[in-house]
Amino acid sequence: MNGHGELPDERAKRARFGRRALAGFAIMLALVLAVAGRFVYLQVHEHAEYSTRAKANRVRLRHLPPPRGLIYDREGKLLADNIPAFRLDVIPDKVQHMDAMLQRLAMVVPLTDDDIRRFKQGLRQHRTFEQVPLKFRLTESERDRFAVDQWQFPGVSVDPYLTRNYPYGAEFAHVTGYVGRIDEKEQARLDPDRYAGTTHVGKTGLEKQYEDLLHGTPGYELVEVNADQRPLRVLQRVPAKPGRNLYLTIDERLQRATITAFAGQTGAAVAIDPRNGNVLAMVTVPSFDPNLFVNGISQADYSALLDDPEKPLLNRAMRGGYPPGSTVKPFIGLGGLELGLRKPDDTVLSTGTFYIPGVARGYRDDQRYGAGRVNLMQAITQSVNTYFYSLALQMGIGRLDQWMAKFGFGSPTGIDLPDETGGVLPSPEWKRKTFKQPWYPGETVISGIGQGYWMVTPMQMAHALASLADGGRSYTPHLLAATSEGLETPETPYPQAPPRQLTHDPADIAAVMQGMLGVVNSPLGTAYKAGIGKDFPYLIAGKTGTAERYSRTSEAYNTNRNAQYLAERHRAWFICFAPADHPQIAIAVVLERGAWGGSAAAPIARKMLDQWLADTPPSDRPPPITTPATQTAAAPITP
Amino acid sequence: MNELVASFGGRARRIARRIFSRPRIDLPLAIGLFALALAGLTVLYSASNLNTSMVAGQASRFLIGAALLLAVSRIPPSLLRAWTPWFYLLSCILLLVLTVLGEGRGADRWLDLGVIRFQPSELMKLAMPMMIAWYLHPRPLPPRWRDIAAVGILTGIPALLIVKQPDLGTALLVVASGMFVLFLAGLQWWKIGAMLAALAGAAPIAWHFLHDYQRERVLTFLHPENDPLGTGWHIIQSMIAVGSGGLAGKGFNQGTQSKLEFLPEHTTDFIFAVLGEEFGLVGVLVLLALYVFIVGRCLWIAANARDTWSRLTAGALGLAFMVYVIVNGGMVSGFLPVVGVPLPLVSYGGTSAITLLTGFGVVMSIHAHRKWTP
């Protein structure tokens, strides 16, 4: 004992602890012996039994991945489909020399460097006894060639699977998005039970947004295998539950008509049903073929898409920010009325240049000597800057921002797609945060005509217009209308957020609408020359917008330059809704290079209206009105 | 050149002397732990399908653990005792943070600190016996009822936090490590009997508070054949693996149950079954003997320690260590329900290995300072 000089009490404590430690050790020893006895029982007494069971352990669990839900447009056209295909799988454990085998295999079935690179990546993600896909979508001749030489490649097999297919290709690439191979990051995030046996996952668009609905529940099979682990028969099978089918609000015919109308010009268009927020068309030009991404895009194809100066991968409809120009005028004019700052008939004198009191710099009107005295309707119809310069100054940037934010400017609309951007609603706080600079009164003035730091996505513009068209009611735009478990089961409507009322006096909206009717139908209207209101069964209300891509270097401004020159400098907007008395579609079109909104963008919107309201009127649309559009619209406008 | 080598050699010798001289580590215990770690890596190498990066990862955790062990062994027990309440408080706070952060994410036992990720409940396995020993250290022994009540609160709070994770198995082990301290403190046998009786009476009430999956595990344990695909699958496959191993086993890397993926979790909770399959009863008994030796050595060190805190801490750490082995061994042999308890220093996993070795660092410190007044 080491207890020199210990107190008697300490010695008693130590002795008591010694007894307890011994008792504890004895109890533990007894328990260990019990466990050891259990092992003796299993490994000696029952050894023969378990040895037989291990050898006969031939029942394997095989996961059955669920078929992915399908995606339909509003008329039942199939936008995303599953088609049977074949792929080449490798079980790494059964391959002795992987690189040599791949070299020999490449002589039978062509393997690209991309295939090999992706396969090597797959080797890291899977366990060595699991199948790792090597090449997807084998052609028939590749399958035949491999079948002949299969005996040379133990561990390599051709397996059937369902692959995602987008029959309309580029038309819906920015709507449906695409699925792709599960990568290492997703592997870590996804529930391993739900994704057992699944190779693909939604990467962008609706495929990503509604991954949870589309994926379904996997099933399993109990398979009896022989000593080489080859399956002999299925003992029990619990089928996979397919993912839910999605029924969209979008219309394939309108989408196609819109793309055709763009004729390859870079830009975007969005059409929304103002009565419910249904997105009817969502077009981005140029687009890309989503099928390229499904089984792994080749490096060359991917580089080509990335290097394209027109950026086909950019979803312009909801991620492209454009200065809105004059398209903000109806909204700001409405703000003037709703905030009680102006009455519809209050006039402003336009002389060609607007000055902030006490400041030398002038702000220009489009007409060199001004439009004279104009009220709100005339100011919208002729897009008179001075009216809105003075209104913006009167509102002040704070109230202007607050009002425009109500219509969704400056924040994402909340459409059911991932990664939507919110544009820029310029405000002193925003400028301070972004540029660390103070706000100048001149910036308030130009905010009134949609110039300056403004950035708006076509989705935001269409959403704001739809809210205005439906009497100030704002619905969150959405693409998903309903889901169903399969073709046989009824569709379940997908719940939508209730609308919010943004305005309080219907007369205010009526006044703004008069101005917008004039844009299209009055001879003074900025879109009149394009003739988009001609020979159309309904009244169209619209607004043009032409925003400058670059800031001008001098005050001199020559509107007589040729259209090509102007197109390079301008973004052309046109927004419209129809029928004006009972709006069923609100459209926003933007062209990245358009000379003027009225001449370049408006005809595209007209072709969309033709498709939706005139050419194939579905049963639920109202009968066409009989009075010619131009006459009724011309009445309230006094030039 | 020669001088350099000589000076380097001299330096290495000096460092070695400083580590292995005073304060000295206990050589038998160190050898036992080293042998166990080596055996663990060997089984892991086979269980992971000869995955060298996994084995290297585990080995590097052992090295971190060994470094912590050496560092802690140099700290006098009086200092460790003074730090104990703070260590306990820190572990409680981490558990609380995990409960708040992990809200609604299912069974999440991990705390992600960016650089390192670990399980606070593993930390508590070390902090708990130290804390109870700290509480009983200045008080008269055997513990009075009011001390027992205080110990109940000290163990109860972290245990509830761990149950909420939800990780019933670990919570029970944490409570057990606290109870071992009471036992070693000389709690009268009749009081132990009374507490056990109360516990048995409370069991039906506790059943109501169990999660569905926890009840399912207990039920599956009682009737494994009812659920051949779920938890029952684990038990059956594990028993087949162990039973088919026989006396001498199928040989290294020859176990069909783990190689053909019949055995689930074969690098973590069920690694004992891999050992049983490939090294047979002989391997199992050798491993159990190694554990018994380590625990016996811990208790011997505890019996020779100089103060109450040291005795209770070293003794309880040893007993708790043995309980992990018994629970895990019972689980893989179909003797106890499936609770997520790893086999100490053999199962793949970082926090467990590092905290266990740190705990042995405390034991080493107690051993090294048994003769000196701190």
Side-chain angles (χ1 to χ4, degrees), chain A residues 339-361:
Chain A
L339 297 174
L341 301 173
R342 297 264 169 102
K343 292 198 170 49
D345 288 323
D346 288 351
T347 57
V348 167
L349 179 65
S350 154
T351 59
T353 317
F354 173 81
Y355 294 96
I356 306 176
V359 177
R361 190 191 154 164

PDB file of all heavy atoms in Angstrom, chain A residues 339-361:
ATOM      1  N   LEU A 339     -52.716  57.349 -54.234  1.00  0.00           N
ATOM      2  CA  LEU A 339     -52.162  58.060 -53.079  1.00  0.00           C
ATOM      3  C   LEU A 339     -52.803  59.437 -52.921  1.00  0.00           C
ATOM      4  O   LEU A 339     -52.442  60.196 -52.024  1.00  0.00           O
ATOM      5  CB  LEU A 339     -50.643  58.200 -53.210  1.00  0.00           C
ATOM      6  CG  LEU A 339     -49.851  56.886 -53.225  1.00  0.00           C
ATOM      7  CD1 LEU A 339     -48.386  57.157 -53.505  1.00  0.00           C
ATOM      8  CD2 LEU A 339     -50.006  56.158 -51.886  1.00  0.00           C
ATOM      9  N   GLY A 340     -53.713  59.779 -53.838  1.00  0.00           N
ATOM     10  CA  GLY A 340     -54.432  61.041 -53.714  1.00  0.00           C
ATOM     11  C   GLY A 340     -53.618  62.246 -54.150  1.00  0.00           C
ATOM     12  O   GLY A 340     -53.928  63.387 -53.796  1.00  0.00           O
ATOM     13  N   LEU A 341     -52.541  62.054 -54.906  1.00  0.00           N
ATOM     14  CA  LEU A 341     -51.695  63.170 -55.330  1.00  0.00           C
ATOM     15  C   LEU A 341     -52.241  63.827 -56.599  1.00  0.00           C
ATOM     16  O   LEU A 341     -52.006  64.999 -56.849  1.00  0.00           O
ATOM     17  CB  LEU A 341     -50.269  62.683 -55.591  1.00  0.00           C
ATOM     18  CG  LEU A 341     -49.563  62.038 -54.397  1.00  0.00           C
ATOM     19  CD1 LEU A 341     -48.239  61.457 -54.825  1.00  0.00           C
ATOM     20  CD2 LEU A 341     -49.357  63.081 -53.306  1.00  0.00           C
ATOM     21  N   ARG A 342     -52.894  63.044 -57.431  1.00  0.00           N
ATOM     22  CA  ARG A 342     -53.412  63.557 -58.702  1.00  0.00           C
ATOM     23  C   ARG A 342     -54.833  63.065 -58.889  1.00  0.00           C
ATOM     24  O   ARG A 342     -55.217  62.019 -58.352  1.00  0.00           O
ATOM     25  CB  ARG A 342     -52.572  63.019 -59.874  1.00  0.00           C
ATOM     26  CG  ARG A 342     -51.125  63.434 -59.886  1.00  0.00           C
ATOM     27  CD  ARG A 342     -50.899  64.652 -60.764  1.00  0.00           C
ATOM     28  NE  ARG A 342     -49.561  65.174 -60.561  1.00  0.00           N
ATOM     29  CZ  ARG A 342     -48.550  64.972 -61.407  1.00  0.00           C
ATOM     30  NH1 ARG A 342     -48.736  64.262 -62.496  1.00  0.00           N
ATOM     31  NH2 ARG A 342     -47.368  65.477 -61.155  1.00  0.00           N
ATOM     32  N   LYS A 343     -55.591  63.821 -59.721  1.00  0.00           N
ATOM     33  CA  LYS A 343     -56.873  63.334 -60.198  1.00  0.00           C
ATOM     34  C   LYS A 343     -56.671  62.990 -61.664  1.00  0.00           C
ATOM     35  O   LYS A 343     -55.769  63.518 -62.307  1.00  0.00           O
ATOM     36  CB  LYS A 343     -57.940  64.407 -60.021  1.00  0.00           C
ATOM     37  CG  LYS A 343     -58.264  64.674 -58.556  1.00  0.00           C
ATOM     38  CD  LYS A 343     -59.581  65.393 -58.404  1.00  0.00           C
ATOM     39  CE  LYS A 343     -60.004  65.427 -56.946  1.00  0.00           C
ATOM     40  NZ  LYS A 343     -58.928  65.886 -56.034  1.00  0.00           N
ATOM     41  N   PRO A 344     -57.511  62.111 -62.214  1.00  0.00           N
ATOM     42  CA  PRO A 344     -57.272  61.676 -63.598  1.00  0.00           C
ATOM     43  C   PRO A 344     -57.165  62.844 -64.571  1.00  0.00           C
ATOM     44  O   PRO A 344     -56.409  62.789 -65.533  1.00  0.00           O
ATOM     45  CB  PRO A 344     -58.493  60.808 -63.906  1.00  0.00           C
ATOM     46  CG  PRO A 344     -58.943  60.305 -62.577  1.00  0.00           C
ATOM     47  CD  PRO A 344     -58.625  61.384 -61.598  1.00  0.00           C
ATOM     48  N   ASP A 345     -57.899  63.954 -64.305  1.00  0.00           N
ATOM     49  CA  ASP A 345     -57.914  65.032 -65.282  1.00  0.00           C
ATOM     50  C   ASP A 345     -56.919  66.149 -64.986  1.00  0.00           C
ATOM     51  O   ASP A 345     -56.846  67.136 -65.724  1.00  0.00           O
ATOM     52  CB  ASP A 345     -59.338  65.602 -65.391  1.00  0.00           C
ATOM     53  CG  ASP A 345     -60.251  64.614 -66.110  1.00  0.00           C
ATOM     54  OD1 ASP A 345     -59.744  63.963 -67.054  1.00  0.00           O
ATOM     55  OD2 ASP A 345     -61.419  64.461 -65.709  1.00  0.00           O
ATOM     56  N   ASP A 346     -56.175  66.020 -63.884  1.00  0.00           N
ATOM     57  CA  ASP A 346     -55.122  66.999 -63.616  1.00  0.00           C
ATOM     58  C   ASP A 346     -54.132  66.960 -64.767  1.00  0.00           C
ATOM     59  O   ASP A 346     -53.760  65.889 -65.248  1.00  0.00           O
ATOM     60  CB  ASP A 346     -54.388  66.655 -62.308  1.00  0.00           C
ATOM     61  CG  ASP A 346     -55.273  66.946 -61.101  1.00  0.00           C
ATOM     62  OD1 ASP A 346     -56.341  67.556 -61.302  1.00  0.00           O
ATOM     63  OD2 ASP A 346     -54.897  66.538 -59.986  1.00  0.00           O
ATOM     64  N   THR A 347     -53.681  68.144 -65.222  1.00  0.00           N
ATOM     65  CA  THR A 347     -52.781  68.157 -66.368  1.00  0.00           C
ATOM     66  C   THR A 347     -51.408  68.670 -65.985  1.00  0.00           C
ATOM     67  O   THR A 347     -51.222  69.360 -64.976  1.00  0.00           O
ATOM     68  CB  THR A 347     -53.329  69.038 -67.503  1.00  0.00           C
ATOM     69  OG1 THR A 347     -53.541  70.344 -66.966  1.00  0.00           O
ATOM     70  CG2 THR A 347     -54.607  68.460 -68.083  1.00  0.00           C
ATOM     71  N   VAL A 348     -50.454  68.330 -66.799  1.00  0.00           N
ATOM     72  CA  VAL A 348     -49.071  68.774 -66.641  1.00  0.00           C
ATOM     73  C   VAL A 348     -48.647  69.308 -67.996  1.00  0.00           C
ATOM     74  O   VAL A 348     -49.016  68.755 -69.037  1.00  0.00           O
ATOM     75  CB  VAL A 348     -48.165  67.601 -66.202  1.00  0.00           C
ATOM     76  CG1 VAL A 348     -46.709  67.959 -66.339  1.00  0.00           C
ATOM     77  CG2 VAL A 348     -48.489  67.175 -64.782  1.00  0.00           C
ATOM     78  N   LEU A 349     -47.880  70.403 -68.016  1.00  0.00           N
ATOM     79  CA  LEU A 349     -47.428  70.969 -69.277  1.00  0.00           C
ATOM     80  C   LEU A 349     -46.098  70.352 -69.676  1.00  0.00           C
ATOM     81  O   LEU A 349     -45.118  70.406 -68.928  1.00  0.00           O
ATOM     82  CB  LEU A 349     -47.277  72.488 -69.146  1.00  0.00           C
ATOM     83  CG  LEU A 349     -46.784  73.191 -70.411  1.00  0.00           C
ATOM     84  CD1 LEU A 349     -47.805  73.071 -71.544  1.00  0.00           C
ATOM     85  CD2 LEU A 349     -46.454  74.651 -70.118  1.00  0.00           C
ATOM     86  N   SER A 350     -46.118  69.747 -70.867  1.00  0.00           N
ATOM     87  CA  SER A 350     -44.884  69.151 -71.365  1.00  0.00           C
ATOM     88  C   SER A 350     -44.310  70.078 -72.421  1.00  0.00           C
ATOM     89  O   SER A 350     -44.967  70.394 -73.413  1.00  0.00           O
ATOM     90  CB  SER A 350     -45.183  67.770 -71.976  1.00  0.00           C
ATOM     91  OG  SER A 350     -44.227  67.441 -72.951  1.00  0.00           O
ATOM     92  N   THR A 351     -43.083  70.564 -72.180  1.00  0.00           N
ATOM     93  CA  THR A 351     -42.467  71.514 -73.116  1.00  0.00           C
ATOM     94  C   THR A 351     -41.295  70.896 -73.853  1.00  0.00           C
ATOM     95  O   THR A 351     -40.639  71.544 -74.657  1.00  0.00           O
ATOM     96  CB  THR A 351     -41.934  72.734 -72.354  1.00  0.00           C
ATOM     97  OG1 THR A 351     -40.983  72.260 -71.397  1.00  0.00           O
ATOM     98  CG2 THR A 351     -43.045  73.482 -71.657  1.00  0.00           C
ATOM     99  N   GLY A 352     -41.002  69.677 -73.580  1.00  0.00           N
ATOM    100  CA  GLY A 352     -39.849  69.041 -74.224  1.00  0.00           C
ATOM    101  C   GLY A 352     -38.721  68.798 -73.244  1.00  0.00           C
ATOM    102  O   GLY A 352     -37.939  67.871 -73.404  1.00  0.00           O
ATOM    103  N   THR A 353     -38.636  69.611 -72.208  1.00  0.00           N
ATOM    104  CA  THR A 353     -37.597  69.409 -71.198  1.00  0.00           C
ATOM    105  C   THR A 353     -38.188  69.724 -69.831  1.00  0.00           C
ATOM    106  O   THR A 353     -38.956  70.670 -69.682  1.00  0.00           O
ATOM    107  CB  THR A 353     -36.381  70.324 -71.447  1.00  0.00           C
ATOM    108  OG1 THR A 353     -36.087  70.321 -72.844  1.00  0.00           O
ATOM    109  CG2 THR A 353     -35.185  69.841 -70.672  1.00  0.00           C
ATOM    110  N   PHE A 354     -37.815  68.890 -68.840  1.00  0.00           N
ATOM    111  CA  PHE A 354     -38.330  69.067 -67.485  1.00  0.00           C
ATOM    112  C   PHE A 354     -37.171  69.461 -66.585  1.00  0.00           C
ATOM    113  O   PHE A 354     -36.078  68.900 -66.692  1.00  0.00           O
ATOM    114  CB  PHE A 354     -38.976  67.764 -67.007  1.00  0.00           C
ATOM    115  CG  PHE A 354     -39.390  67.770 -65.554  1.00  0.00           C
ATOM    116  CD1 PHE A 354     -40.587  68.362 -65.176  1.00  0.00           C
ATOM    117  CD2 PHE A 354     -38.583  67.192 -64.576  1.00  0.00           C
ATOM    118  CE1 PHE A 354     -40.962  68.377 -63.843  1.00  0.00           C
ATOM    119  CE2 PHE A 354     -38.957  67.214 -63.245  1.00  0.00           C
ATOM    120  CZ  PHE A 354     -40.163  67.802 -62.879  1.00  0.00           C
ATOM    121  N   TYR A 355     -37.403  70.463 -65.744  1.00  0.00           N
ATOM    122  CA  TYR A 355     -36.343  70.892 -64.830  1.00  0.00           C
ATOM    123  C   TYR A 355     -36.788  70.718 -63.391  1.00  0.00           C
ATOM    124  O   TYR A 355     -37.930  71.065 -63.050  1.00  0.00           O
ATOM    125  CB  TYR A 355     -35.985  72.357 -65.072  1.00  0.00           C
ATOM    126  CG  TYR A 355     -35.355  72.583 -66.427  1.00  0.00           C
ATOM    127  CD1 TYR A 355     -36.128  72.998 -67.503  1.00  0.00           C
ATOM    128  CD2 TYR A 355     -33.990  72.361 -66.618  1.00  0.00           C
ATOM    129  CE1 TYR A 355     -35.562  73.201 -68.748  1.00  0.00           C
ATOM    130  CE2 TYR A 355     -33.416  72.555 -67.865  1.00  0.00           C
ATOM    131  CZ  TYR A 355     -34.199  72.975 -68.933  1.00  0.00           C
ATOM    132  OH  TYR A 355     -33.644  73.148 -70.152  1.00  0.00           O
ATOM    133  N   ILE A 356     -35.910  70.208 -62.549  1.00  0.00           N
ATOM    134  CA  ILE A 356     -36.163  70.242 -61.108  1.00  0.00           C
ATOM    135  C   ILE A 356     -35.945  71.684 -60.696  1.00  0.00           C
ATOM    136  O   ILE A 356     -34.932  72.280 -61.091  1.00  0.00           O
ATOM    137  CB  ILE A 356     -35.165  69.341 -60.339  1.00  0.00           C
ATOM    138  CG1 ILE A 356     -35.183  67.929 -60.889  1.00  0.00           C
ATOM    139  CG2 ILE A 356     -35.458  69.364 -58.854  1.00  0.00           C
ATOM    140  CD1 ILE A 356     -34.160  67.016 -60.245  1.00  0.00           C
ATOM    141  N   PRO A 357     -36.877  72.280 -59.940  1.00  0.00           N
ATOM    142  CA  PRO A 357     -36.701  73.684 -59.558  1.00  0.00           C
ATOM    143  C   PRO A 357     -35.317  73.923 -58.971  1.00  0.00           C
ATOM    144  O   PRO A 357     -34.898  73.218 -58.048  1.00  0.00           O
ATOM    145  CB  PRO A 357     -37.800  73.904 -58.506  1.00  0.00           C
ATOM    146  CG  PRO A 357     -38.837  72.887 -58.841  1.00  0.00           C
ATOM    147  CD  PRO A 357     -38.124  71.728 -59.424  1.00  0.00           C
ATOM    148  N   GLY A 358     -34.604  74.907 -59.524  1.00  0.00           N
ATOM    149  CA  GLY A 358     -33.300  75.287 -58.994  1.00  0.00           C
ATOM    150  C   GLY A 358     -32.149  74.438 -59.495  1.00  0.00           C
ATOM    151  O   GLY A 358     -31.016  74.604 -59.054  1.00  0.00           O
ATOM    152  N   VAL A 359     -32.398  73.500 -60.413  1.00  0.00           N
ATOM    153  CA  VAL A 359     -31.306  72.683 -60.937  1.00  0.00           C
ATOM    154  C   VAL A 359     -31.225  72.916 -62.444  1.00  0.00           C
ATOM    155  O   VAL A 359     -32.241  72.968 -63.140  1.00  0.00           O
ATOM    156  CB  VAL A 359     -31.539  71.186 -60.648  1.00  0.00           C
ATOM    157  CG1 VAL A 359     -30.437  70.330 -61.248  1.00  0.00           C
ATOM    158  CG2 VAL A 359     -31.642  70.967 -59.156  1.00  0.00           C
ATOM    159  N   ALA A 360     -30.002  73.057 -62.928  1.00  0.00           N
ATOM    160  CA  ALA A 360     -29.828  73.445 -64.324  1.00  0.00           C
ATOM    161  C   ALA A 360     -30.089  72.297 -65.298  1.00  0.00           C
ATOM    162  O   ALA A 360     -30.627  72.497 -66.373  1.00  0.00           O
ATOM    163  CB  ALA A 360     -28.414  73.972 -64.541  1.00  0.00           C
ATOM    164  N   ARG A 361     -29.753  71.081 -64.882  1.00  0.00           N
ATOM    165  CA  ARG A 361     -29.862  69.966 -65.813  1.00  0.00           C
ATOM    166  C   ARG A 361     -31.321  69.674 -66.167  1.00  0.00           C
ATOM    167  O   ARG A 361     -32.182  69.635 -65.279  1.00  0.00           O
ATOM    168  CB  ARG A 361     -29.246  68.716 -65.183  1.00  0.00           C
ATOM    169  CG  ARG A 361     -29.141  67.618 -66.219  1.00  0.00           C
ATOM    170  CD  ARG A 361     -28.795  66.275 -65.666  1.00  0.00           C
ATOM    171  NE  ARG A 361     -29.339  65.316 -66.621  1.00  0.00           N
ATOM    172  CZ  ARG A 361     -28.994  64.055 -66.654  1.00  0.00           C
ATOM    173  NH1 ARG A 361     -28.148  63.587 -65.781  1.00  0.00           N
ATOM    174  NH2 ARG A 361     -29.510  63.257 -67.551  1.00  0.00           N
TER     175      ARG A 361
END
